[in-house]
Amino acid sequence: MADWLHRCWTKATTAEGDAVRRSFSWVIARRGFLKVFADRLECGSWVIPYADMSEAVLFSTRQLFFHGYVLRVKAGGRTYQFGLNPGRFWEGELPFPVKRQEMAMGYSWYSIAIRLAALVSIAYLLLKDRPGCSL
């Protein structure tokens, strides 16, 4: 029986600490369902009772053309971060106290390198068969 209030797909990590940014940690982050219950959050084996939370911040961010959220929760001496897609649930009243903040997502050296490699690859594929081009 599902007694959760909301369930959504997420990427989650404890590797970032307080920093909310793009990084390699998100590439290897845990994937699964974040379940929001009346008294706790669950993501895989992580169970975070609201009573143990010392802080919860829901960051609203825009990445390229997409809107999304990062929920940062501090509980039991750990900092959890959950990457979330937009949805009405996150816009409304949540069952735990949360601060809401708008933020611009920072770039890590890793994300910049990946974007640069993707642009170079696309340029190569577009230009390699053009007449007069010697790539």
Side-chain angles (χ1 to χ4, degrees):
M1 179 172 88
D3 59 343
W4 37 262
L5 305 173
H6 182 71
R7 183 179 83 152
C8 61
W9 190 252
T10 188
K11 290 193 303 187
T13 184
T14 57
E16 288 298 314
D18 286 346
V20 178
R21 63 189 178 126
R22 293 180 183 97
S23 73
F24 185 72
S25 313
W26 288 104
V27 174
I28 57 173
R30 173 183 293 213
R31 271 111 169 125
F33 286 104
L34 174 64
K35 296 177 188 172
V36 181
F37 292 86
D39 63 340
R40 69 192 181 281
L41 296 174
E42 288 185 8
C43 183
S45 61
W46 295 344
V47 178
I48 308 166
Y50 301 150
D52 292 352
M53 287 184 184
S54 60
E55 178 186 59
V57 182
L58 184 63
F59 296 94
S60 178
T61 185
R62 201 167 274 293
Q63 298 178 27
L64 293 176
F65 306 109
F66 304 102
H67 179 247
Y69 297 102
V70 175
L71 176 63
R72 184 181 68 201
V73 174
K74 294 181 181 184
R78 293 179 86 180
T79 302
Y80 302 86
Q81 289 188 25
F82 302 93
L84 306 166
N85 290 323
R88 289 184 188 170
F89 180 81
W90 300 110
E91 296 167 4
E93 182 90 16
L94 298 178
F96 53 91
V98 65
K99 296 177 198 168
R100 296 174 187 267
Q101 284 186 287
E102 295 277 332
M103 72 163 292
M105 186 70 75
Y107 290 93
S108 69
W109 67 267
Y110 178 77
S111 64
I112 292 169
I114 292 295
R115 283 171 174 74
L116 184 59
L119 285 173
V120 169
S121 298
I122 290 168
Y124 173 76
L125 291 172
L126 291 174
L127 296 174
K128 73 176 183 161
D129 293 328
R130 288 188 81 181
C133 186
S134 59
L135 289 178

